[in-house]
Amino acid sequence: MNPGTPKNPTTPTGPAAPAVLDAEETAAEENTAKDAAYSLDKGAAEAEGEHAVADDAEAGSAPGPAQDLDPDAALKGSDDDSDFTDPDFDASGKESSGLASAAAAVAAAGLGVVALSGSWTGKIAAERETLIGQIKTSSGGTAAQQISEIYGDAWHSTALVNGLFALLALLVGVFALVRPAFGAPSPHPQPGWVRAVATAGIALGVLGLVISIGMYFDLIVALPTAQ
């Protein structure tokens, strides 16, 4: 190593030093100018976006690009509840539970049972006819007249009342079965248990009606005779 060479290098102080400093200052100024321009561009873009949002809010129902590109928009807008009326939905928008058909089916079955077993109404009618017959035959009468007035009329009154219950059971059961056929067709079928109970009510009504007719006209059991 040359002993005359200095150990610590120093920044040259010749003509090259000012040139390096000028280049660094120029680069710093260019970066500052770029940052300022970028800030101005960003602020202008944000202001333009705010103006666009305000214009869209004022436009309100003006269709956007996404709406223009959707071919099903018109079909979706026209598909409302007024185009189709569902019979299973009532005026409040709730689905109907078919309560009328179910109640009619249960009522038909109950009326059929009453037609076969008898009712309080039939008992009262029979007692009334018995009382009238006793009043009519109290002053005297033949045995056949007493049987007809006291026993026969009461028998026929009971059969008539039971027949009316049987006919009512038949009509109500038929109504429960054919109720879905009236009005617009329902998308939901009638529950199976409703049809079963309504059919049972109809069967009981028919059976009670046949028995009542036979009893009223003395076809099943004849009135007793005086001999």
Side-chain angles (χ1 to χ4, degrees):
M1 175 181 291
N2 189 0
T5 303
K7 295 182 180 181
N8 295 325
T10 59
T11 303
T13 59
V20 173
L21 294 176
D22 292 340
E24 292 179 354
E25 292 177 355
T26 303
E29 291 177 355
E30 290 178 357
N31 292 333
T32 302
K34 290 181 180 179
D35 293 339
Y38 175 76
S39 299
L40 292 175
D41 294 339
K42 184 177 180 182
E46 291 178 353
E48 184 178 357
E50 292 177 356
H51 286 299
V53 171
D55 293 338
D56 291 340
E58 293 177 357
S61 61
Q67 294 178 351
D68 294 337
L69 295 177
D70 189 2
D72 296 333
L75 295 178
K76 292 179 181 178
S78 62
D79 187 10
D80 53 2
D81 294 338
S82 62
D83 295 337
F84 175 73
T85 301
D86 192 347
D88 283 351
F89 286 82
D90 54 16
S92 61
K94 296 180 181 180
E95 185 174 359
S96 176
S97 59
L99 183 62
S101 298
V106 174
L111 290 172
V113 172
V114 171
L116 291 176
S117 61
S119 64
W120 174 81
T121 307
K123 182 179 179 181
I124 294 299
E127 291 178 353
R128 179 179 180 275
E129 292 296 331
T130 300
L131 180 59
I132 293 174
Q134 291 175 354
I135 294 174
K136 288 182 178 180
T137 59
S138 61
S139 59
T142 62
Q145 185 180 3
Q146 292 179 355
I147 292 173
S148 177
E149 294 290 340
I150 298 175
Y151 183 73
D153 291 346
W155 183 330
H156 295 160
S157 297
T158 302
L160 179 61
V161 173
N162 291 343
L164 292 177
F165 275 100
L167 180 61
L168 188 59
L170 177 61
L171 295 177
V172 174
V174 171
F175 168 78
L177 284 182
V178 303
R179 172 64 183 85
F182 294 95
S186 174
H188 304 290
Q190 193 178 44
W193 72 269
V194 174
R195 296 194 299 271
V197 174
T199 304
I202 293 174
L204 292 174
V206 171
L207 181 60
L209 189 61
V210 170
I211 293 176
S212 298
I213 292 174
M215 295 294 292
Y216 187 84
F217 291 103
D218 301 331
L219 300 177
I220 298 176
V221 179
L223 287 174
T225 59
Q227 298 177 355

